[in-house]
């Protein structure tokens, strides 16, 4: 629904399809996997308060609420007094589109800004997908120990430094992943060693090729 650093929208089709009626994303971010199967019983855990607040705002909003959000022109900033009427979550929603792929909401349009009429309309038309979801501002460790499809996409061991919450005990996380009940899908980048990852897909970036890897378990 919105842009975020590490978003899986481009490659979500390569991941195994869910085997359970409940999907749990323990590091939600933009939750591209859950969006792909939005009709399931979805539970999101997101420790970053701003990203959690974006989800809750979108869940509680109507299409007209989104369509009323202002568009910015090059050089404008959400810090301008003219935008003081906006709530923080509204500014954070806009900010994630101002510079797609950033790990934090921005204040001004970047070179690749996607906050325009088309994307605003697209966002307003997707709100219905998340009305039934459960969304929590909590750590992955608080996820319920239930049989489900677990999509686990933490800050990457080698490339996760840009996230606000990037301090991960990967040994502990690896054991936690192994102990989940049901179907477990873990995302990482080439070079990670906290699970026995296998190649998933090569992803071409602006400057170089990166290899997405995966660890799975079906109980």
């Amino acid at each position: 629904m919105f842009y975020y650093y590490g978003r899986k929208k481009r490659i979500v089709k390569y991941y195994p399809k869910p085997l359970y009626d409940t999907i749990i994303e323990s590091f939600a971010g933009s939750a591209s996997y859950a969006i792909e199967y939005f009709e399931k019983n979805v539970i999101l855990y997101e420790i970053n308060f701003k990203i959690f607040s974006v989800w809750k705002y979108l869940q509680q909003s109507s299409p007209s609420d989104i369509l009323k959000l202002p568009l910015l022109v090059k050089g404008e900033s959400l810090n301008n007094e003219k935008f003081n009427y906006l709530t923080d979550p509204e500014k954070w929603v806009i900010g994630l589109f101002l510079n797609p792929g950033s790990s934090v909401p921005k204040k001004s349009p970047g070179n690749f800004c996607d906050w325009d009429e088309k994307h605003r309309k697209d966002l307003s038309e997707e709100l219905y997908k998340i009305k039934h979801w459960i969304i929590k501002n909590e750590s992955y460790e608080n996820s319920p120990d239930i049989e489900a499809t677990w999509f686990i996409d933490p800050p990457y061991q080698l490339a996760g430094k840009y996230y606000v919450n990037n301090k991960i005990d990967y040994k502990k996380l690896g054991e936690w992943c192994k102990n989940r009940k049901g179907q477990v899908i873990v995302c990482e980048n080439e070079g990670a060693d906290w699970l026995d990852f296998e190649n998933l897909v090569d992803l071409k970036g602006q400057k170089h090729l990166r290899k997405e890897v995966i660890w799975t378990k079906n109980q």
Side-chain angles (χ1 to χ4, degrees):
M1 296 183 74
F2 55 85
Y3 291 96
Y4 191 54
Y5 181 66
R7 187 169 75 150
K8 295 296 184 292
K9 184 175 182 178
R10 289 172 58 191
I11 60 172
V12 68
K13 63 184 178 182
Y14 294 104
Y15 292 102
K17 294 182 178 180
L19 300 177
Y20 291 82
D21 289 333
T22 296
I23 294 175
I24 301 175
E25 288 214 33
S26 299
F27 298 83
S30 59
S32 293
Y33 187 83
I35 286 290
E36 184 73 8
Y37 307 100
F38 68 90
E39 71 281 357
K40 299 281 189 178
N41 301 316
V42 172
I43 306 174
L44 300 186
Y45 283 77
E46 177 52 61
I47 198 171
N48 184 316
F49 178 73
K50 288 185 179 180
I51 303 304
F52 161 77
S53 298
V54 165
W55 277 117
K56 293 301 291 183
Y57 166 76
L58 293 175
Q59 187 178 52
Q60 296 164 5
S61 294
S62 67
S64 63
D65 292 329
I66 302 301
L67 294 174
K68 288 188 292 188
L69 294 176
L71 301 177
L72 278 70
V73 300
K74 194 75 172 180
E76 282 191 315
S77 170
L78 289 170
N79 287 333
N80 292 348
E81 290 186 2
K82 65 182 289 187
F83 299 120
N84 283 350
Y85 69 93
L86 294 171
T87 65
D88 282 339
E90 288 174 329
K91 290 181 179 180
W92 295 335
V93 168
I94 295 170
L96 290 171
F97 284 85
L98 293 179
N99 192 358
S102 175
S103 61
V104 294
K106 298 299 187 179
K107 300 291 186 181
S108 300
N111 292 331
F112 303 100
C113 175
D114 268 348
W115 186 240
D116 52 27
E117 290 186 7
K118 178 186 181 303
H119 287 88
R120 184 174 62 179
K121 182 175 182 292
D122 290 346
L123 181 61
S124 73
E125 293 174 350
E126 284 198 302
L127 299 178
Y128 75 95
K129 295 180 178 180
I130 66 173
K131 296 300 184 183
H132 64 288
W133 290 12
I134 296 173
I135 306 169
K136 298 189 177 186
N137 184 209
E138 298 179 25
S139 168
Y140 76 92
E141 298 161 296
N142 294 334
S143 304
D145 189 16
I146 61 174
E147 283 195 342
T149 291
W150 297 81
F151 191 80
I152 302 168
D153 184 17
Y156 285 178
Q157 187 177 19
L158 303 178
K161 62 183 179 180
Y162 298 107
Y163 290 101
V164 174
N165 305 97
N166 60 10
K167 305 300 181 184
I168 305 290
D169 182 336
Y170 288 99
K171 181 178 179 180
K172 177 181 177 182
L173 176 59
E175 290 302 313
W176 183 87
C177 292
K178 292 176 182 178
N179 291 326
R180 296 304 89 200
K181 297 177 181 177
Q183 178 188 20
V184 185
I185 304 166
V186 184
C187 310
E188 252 290 4
N189 220 346
E190 183 183 36
D193 60 7
W194 51 279
L195 285 172
D196 294 326
F197 293 102
E198 298 179 353
N199 288 337
L200 176 68
V201 65
D202 292 346
L203 193 59
K204 186 177 182 180
Q206 292 182 357
K207 296 182 179 180
H208 49 75
L209 190 74
R210 74 173 190 267
K211 295 181 179 293
E212 291 288 323
V213 298
I214 187 175
W215 181 89
T216 59
K217 184 191 79 165
N218 296 328
Q219 183 175 331

